[in-house]
Structures are given as structure tokens and as C-alpha cells.
Amino acid sequence: MNYKNINKVALVAILLIAFGLPLVIRSATYLHILVLLFFYAYLTTSWNLVGGFAGVLPLGHAAFVGIGAYTSTILFLQYGISPWIGMLVGGVLATIAGILIGLPTFKMRGAYFALATIAFAEGFRVIVENIDYIGPFKINGPRGLQIPPLDIGLANFMFASKEPYYYIILIMLVAVVVLTYVISRSKLGYYLNAGGEEPEAAMALGVNVARAKLIAMAMSSFLTAMAGTFYAQFTLYIHPKSIISLDLSFEIAFIALIGGRGSIAGPILGALLLRPVGDFSRIYFGDTLPGMHLIIFGLVLILVMHYQPRGLQEPLTRLYNNLIRRITHNTTGR
Amino acid sequence: MVLLEVRGMTKEFGGLRAIDSLDLTIEKGQIFGLIGPNGAGKSTAFNCIAGAFAPTAGVITFNNETINGQKPWNLCKKGLARTFQIVKPFASKSVLYNVMVASFATTNSRQVAEEKAIKVLESLNFADKKDILSSNLTIADRKRLEIARALATEPKLLLLDEVMAGLRPNEVDEMVEVLKKIREQGTTIFVIEHIMRAIMALSDRIVVIQFGKKIAEGTPKEIANNENVIKAYLGEDYVAA
């Protein structure tokens, strides 16, 4: 068995385990935790298209989650349009927002870009929190929107149990990971990496850096908004604090930085590590020390940045490769 | 056939005139040298021609097309490539990745880009280092990588900004051979260089600038004996009476 075959086997095994888990785990609580884990892995992978490949640090992706969630929910509550369609409409609106944010901000470097994206996202949250109607659309200010679970079923993206949500978010995650893989090996991926590392050199080599970043931003915001719709349908209740908060934007960045920005496995590894930490700290410290999870994330981030500045994916990939080499060596040596 | 023609090019930064109505004409197939003391405006001239800055005044014609103020990535696709005096490798990537970014300029296919990149690396005797991280290269190899990337865009005109600075004498000789080979393959070369031994050996024609103005133009031999040039480099006292 050669290296590539082992990789394929490992991949299939991981997928089988992921799809088989709900058969083993019957507890709704654990499934809920897993759904949110995949949700964050999906969000971070989408974020990674801009934050990882394009080499900038967007800290306002919660705004796109919010646009997705509010769009599909309003369309469903006021017009009875299926959230599946609302998901795409939200994606398109978020793409427009992403391009509008990207046009003026992609010229900024480092912290200035990060601050600008925070400003946009916070501005959006404040607006949503303080008005009840945008034109004919009821957004209900800080009270948020509740989706009454009346017509349960696939058409309305509503289910009585956790399993369907689990499979939907898992499929979304697999799709976005595959997309990232394809992009990373394409011209766009090369251009994003080059433009992120040395914009001047990239431009001289024929790369329209601003255009590549805008394309990445458009895709990233579209995908992020889809997750917003998922979240709205999963919890059936959205309000500005829950989905447009800075906490959410920061958590995405934490996961990416700790797992490894710009890599494909990084966001998944980051979510696998941080989400359980976050969930259990909320379970055990939720009453006494709310926000404890962010302190823990901060500590982990400091440690990881100090010892593995390119994220945990790097040592883990090395470990995996060594392991594979040993296995292939043993079998061929026999 | 004229490949690049610069007429009256001027670049001002605020009150400072870095380039003062510079004229030059590069024929296809030439190796054309640009020299001058530090701060003369050589790199600024390159930046204007390659589109990094728009010149304040003047006309730049490349391949019978006016290219003033066009963006660098468009110029690159039209066949004008450059290297940077301060090398700018994509440091976290391999040599091959670096060159592939450039070879994507003329194709959308990853496979074609990879084949082209390897071909370029082979022509520079660099293929054995294709998997090395570019941040781990020596300075000589980084300069070579700059050239490899520029070549991979398939340029008609290659602008080389001090690709020999910091190299050891034997590395300079190697680089001279590399540049001659590139010219033989049909690429016109416009080179800024401080190492006189190299530029005198390479160039068909040399322009000397000082304080942004052209002070001499001619064959290497003419330049070496030009009074203005000797004055600019060594001072008044050294001009033979």
C-alpha cells in the first residue's frame, strides 16, 4: 500500500465515522455539541478562504452569519418562503455586503483591516438591535425572531430530532472542505497565497491581488451566510447578540489561528479542540464564570502562537506523515 | 525593431524630481544597461516602466502600445516582467510554488503551469531545489528565484533590478552566463547593475543617469571613457585633462 492509498483509506474512515456517529451517540446533548462543532468548523473553513489564503484577518464574519439567518427567517415568517431558498437569497445578500466591505478595506494592511471589519460588523449589529423594521421587513430589534415549529419537515428545514441537523451540517462541512481543497490547488489559490504574502511581487507576476481577494471574500461571505440560515433553523430563535456578536467573529478567528490558518485541516482541528473546551467550560463555569471559554481560548492561543506559530495542523501533519512512513516502510520491508 | 521606447519620462515625489525627462530606446534582442550612482533614480525608472508607479509626465511605449499608468499585472500579461532589488519570495512556499504563481500568468491549468515552471527551473539549473522552502534559500538562489519567476511569465522584456548585488565573484560569472542564455532564447533584457565588470561584459548599450537625468549613452566602451560618467562616479579630480 502506498502513501496516497493510505491517505484515501484514512479519509474514508474519517467520513464513515463522522456519518456513523449518530448511530452510536443517542444523547441529544452530545449531538447538539457535535452539531455546533461542525457548525464552527464549517464557519472557520469558510472564513479561511479570506482569513487564511488571502493573508488578511477579517474579524467581522458574524455580520454575514447574521445576514444569512435574518434573511431566511424573515422570508419564511413573512412570506412562507422555504428556508432552503432563503439560504441562497441570504448568501447573495451577504456576497454583496462582503464585496462592499472588501472594496475599501482590502487596501488596508494588518490590524487596520481587522479593525475595519470589526467596525462594519458591530455597526450592523447596532443597527439590527435598534430598529424593529427595515422597510416592510420585521426584524424585531433586540428581541429577535422566533420561528414557530409548526410545519416540521425537510421542505421547511425543521426537524424534531437532532440527527437531520447533524447530517445537514456534516454534508455542508464536507462540501466546503472539498471546495477549499479544489481552490487551494487552483490558480485562484496560488494567487491568493501569493498576494497575501508579497502583494508587490505578486502584482508584478500578473496577479490582480485586489480582484483575487474580492473573489475570495465573495465566496466566503456567501458560504458564511448559509451557515447563518442553518443556525436559525437549528435553534429556531435568533437575536442580534446570538449571531451578530463579536464573540462569534472572534471564536472563528481563534479556531483558525489555533488550528492553522491557510491550511485545509486547520479549521477542523481547531474546532475539534476548542469547541469541547468551550462547551464544557460553559457547562461547568457558565454560572460562576461566564466568558471563561474566551479566557481559555486566549491562553491556548498564546501557547500555540508561541510554540507553533503556524497552528496545530503543522506538528500534527508531521506526526501523521511519520506514522504513515513507518507503516508503509514496515509493510514493504516484509 | 523597437521594443521599449521611453520619451520625456518624469517622476516627481512631492517636490523631489526623481526622474527628469528620461529618454531611452531598447531594441528587440538587446541587453540594455542602466547604471548610475546610488539614488540616481534607476529603480524609480523601473517602477514607472513596470507600472508600480504612474510617471508624472512622458510617454512609455512597449511593443507599439502606450503603457503609461497601466497596472503591473496587465503589463506582465503583455510581456513585461521584472525582478525586485530587494528580493520578495513567497517565503512560506516552495521554489516550485513560487514559480508556478508566475507561470499561471499565461494559463489557467495547474498542470500546464507546473510543467512550464519546471521547464524554467531546468533552464536555470535550479530544478534540483524545486521542493526547498524559498525562505531557506541562499541569497544567490533567491536572486535566481526572482529571475525564474519573472521568466515563467514568458516575458518579451525582462527588467532586472540588481540581480547580482551581494553575489560572490564566481556567482556573478554564473549569473552573466544565465543572462546571456536568456537573451539567446529571445528575451530582451533591461538591467540595472552596480557591478561594472558584469554590466560591461553583458550590455550592448548603456544609459547612465545621475539625479534622474541621463548624462551619457553608448556602448560599454564609450561609457567607460566618458568624462561625465567618470565625474559622476569618481569626482572632478579624476577626469584626465
Side-chain angles (χ1 to χ4, degrees):
Chain A
M1 221 196 287
N2 64 23
Y3 185 81
K4 268 192 174 159
N5 280 337
I6 292 189
N7 269 343
K8 270 180 203 157
V9 170
L11 208 63
V12 171
I14 291 171
L15 280 176
L16 279 180
I17 292 171
F19 277 91
L21 267 183
L23 303 175
V24 186
I25 298 174
R26 308 302 304 177
S27 148
T29 312
Y30 287 124
L31 271 186
H32 188 95
I33 289 175
L34 280 175
V35 167
L36 285 182
L37 194 158
F38 291 159
F39 169 73
Y40 273 91
Y42 172 94
L43 276 182
T44 310
T45 307
S46 310
W47 178 93
N48 199 30
L49 287 174
V50 184
F53 293 151
V56 290
L57 191 70
L59 290 177
H61 262 50
F64 305 130
V65 181
I67 290 173
Y70 270 95
T71 305
S72 63
T73 305
I74 289 167
L75 288 179
F76 180 67
L77 291 179
Q78 286 183 238
Y79 305 97
I81 296 170
S82 162
W84 290 108
I85 295 165
M87 199 178 209
L88 300 178
V89 179
V92 171
L93 288 179
T95 305
I96 295 168
I99 290 173
L100 289 179
I101 293 172
L103 276 175
T105 53
F106 274 137
K107 288 183 188 112
M108 303 177 183
R109 303 200 81 176
Y112 300 103
F113 175 83
L115 288 172
T117 51
I118 291 179
F120 274 111
E122 278 296 270
F124 179 66
R125 181 182 61 82
V126 171
I127 291 171
V128 174
E129 249 176 6
N130 284 290
I131 53 176
D132 283 343
Y133 286 91
I134 299 178
F137 306 118
K138 187 182 181 195
I139 59 171
N140 219 13
R143 295 175 299 282
L145 296 169
Q146 206 162 354
I147 306 170
L150 299 175
D151 277 324
I152 285 174
L154 186 63
N156 285 338
F157 204 146
M158 262 186 250
F159 310 96
S161 67
K162 304 275 184 196
E163 280 88 354
Y165 291 112
Y166 178 93
Y167 286 114
I168 289 170
I169 194 69
L170 179 58
I171 290 167
M172 284 170 70
L173 175 61
V174 171
V176 78
V177 169
V178 170
L179 180 73
T180 307
Y181 176 75
V182 170
I183 288 174
S184 76
R185 292 168 57 87
S186 74
K187 183 171 179 172
L188 178 63
Y190 278 71
Y191 274 20
L192 284 171
N193 270 312
E197 251 186 81
E198 282 290 351
E200 253 185 275
M203 284 190 249
L205 297 173
V207 181
N208 186 341
V209 175
R211 188 165 150 259
K213 283 183 180 173
L214 272 182
I215 294 172
M217 184 71 161
M219 289 197 286
S220 176
S221 36
F222 186 93
L223 295 166
T224 305
M226 287 177 71
T229 300
F230 173 84
Y231 189 84
Q233 297 305 122
F234 182 56
T235 57
L236 296 179
Y237 173 53
I238 54 171
H239 61 106
K241 273 259 154 58
S242 72
I243 49 162
I244 324 178
S245 70
L246 267 185
D247 282 11
L248 177 57
S249 298
F250 286 164
E251 192 161 345
I252 295 171
F254 272 130
I255 292 173
L257 289 169
I258 291 169
R261 280 166 88 183
S263 69
I264 293 166
I268 300 168
L269 290 172
L272 272 174
L273 177 76
L274 287 192
R275 281 308 301 172
V277 171
D279 284 320
F280 287 110
S281 95
R282 265 174 284 220
I283 291 170
Y284 294 115
F285 301 115
D287 299 333
T288 47
L289 290 168
M292 186 66 193
H293 66 287
L294 285 176
I295 297 175
I296 298 175
F297 288 179
L299 281 176
V300 177
L301 183 67
I302 291 170
L303 288 175
V304 170
M305 288 296 110
H306 189 76
Y307 293 104
Q308 291 293 338
R310 300 187 60 201
L312 289 177
Q313 54 85 23
E314 206 178 49
L316 289 173
T317 312
R318 214 179 308 133
L319 205 73
Y320 173 80
N321 284 338
N322 282 343
L323 199 73
I324 300 266
R325 204 167 305 134
R326 200 162 295 171
I327 294 170
T328 46
H329 193 78
N330 279 349
T331 46
T332 47
R334 219 174 274 161
Chain B
M1 188 200 137
V2 176
L3 186 60
L4 181 82
E5 188 167 40
V6 175
R7 285 285 160 264
M9 185 169 81
T10 299
K11 176 67 190 175
E12 285 170 355
F13 295 105
L16 177 80
R17 184 167 284 193
I19 310 265
D20 196 349
S21 59
L22 181 69
D23 293 333
L24 44 90
T25 305
I26 299 180
E27 301 274 337
K28 202 163 182 240
Q30 266 182 335
I31 295 184
F32 194 99
L34 178 64
I35 65 173
N38 288 329
K42 303 181 296 294
S43 288
T44 306
F46 262 30
N47 280 330
C48 288
I49 294 168
F53 311 146
T56 314
V59 180
I60 307 166
T61 316
F62 176 63
N63 218 5
N64 299 322
E65 184 190 349
T66 307
I67 57 164
N68 284 47
Q70 287 196 22
K71 296 295 180 195
W73 52 89
N74 289 330
L75 291 177
C76 171
K77 292 196 169 134
K78 286 178 180 151
L80 203 156
R82 70 169 300 182
T83 67
F84 288 90
Q85 182 181 2
I86 299 158
V87 292
K88 296 175 189 294
F90 308 125
S92 75
K93 302 291 182 227
S94 70
V95 167
L96 180 63
Y97 195 106
N98 268 267
V99 180
M100 278 177 70
V101 170
S103 55
F104 269 122
T106 52
T107 176
N108 289 323
S109 147
R110 177 190 154 80
Q111 206 190 336
V112 175
E114 187 168 342
E115 283 163 9
K116 271 198 337 185
I118 287 177
K119 223 176 267 172
V120 169
L121 287 172
E122 277 168 355
S123 78
L124 295 175
N125 299 325
F126 204 22
D128 52 331
K129 295 194 172 143
K130 72 179 168 63
D131 295 321
I132 294 181
L133 222 54
S134 60
S135 56
N136 294 341
L137 292 174
T138 63
I139 186 71
D141 280 341
R142 284 182 199 206
K143 300 258 175 185
R144 199 181 283 242
L145 176 59
E146 283 277 324
I147 296 178
R149 287 198 310 199
L151 274 182
T153 66
E154 297 183 0
K156 295 186 181 73
L157 176 65
L158 185 57
L159 307 183
L160 300 176
D161 196 347
E162 294 205 26
V163 286
M164 300 184 206
L167 301 194
R168 281 179 274 127
N170 64 323
E171 290 168 340
V172 169
D173 294 339
E174 262 175 54
M175 194 63 96
V176 167
E177 290 312 309
V178 165
L179 298 190
K180 281 183 177 163
K181 198 170 148 195
I182 292 170
R183 190 250 297 265
E184 272 163 33
Q185 287 161 356
T187 307
T188 308
I189 298 177
F190 184 16
V191 56
I192 293 178
E193 200 47 78
H194 267 308
I195 299 177
M196 289 303 145
R197 181 166 66 85
I199 198 142
M200 291 295 169
L202 270 174
S203 307
D204 300 309
R205 208 168 170 76
I206 296 176
V207 159
V208 189
I209 61 173
Q210 186 185 19
F211 301 124
K213 278 187 181 144
K214 179 154 83 179
I215 57 169
E217 177 169 0
T219 61
K221 207 172 171 193
E222 287 163 8
I223 293 298
N225 297 320
N226 185 298
E227 269 185 31
N228 285 332
V229 178
I230 297 170
K231 251 190 241 169
Y233 272 90
L234 301 175
E236 299 273 354
D237 299 347
Y238 289 86
V239 180

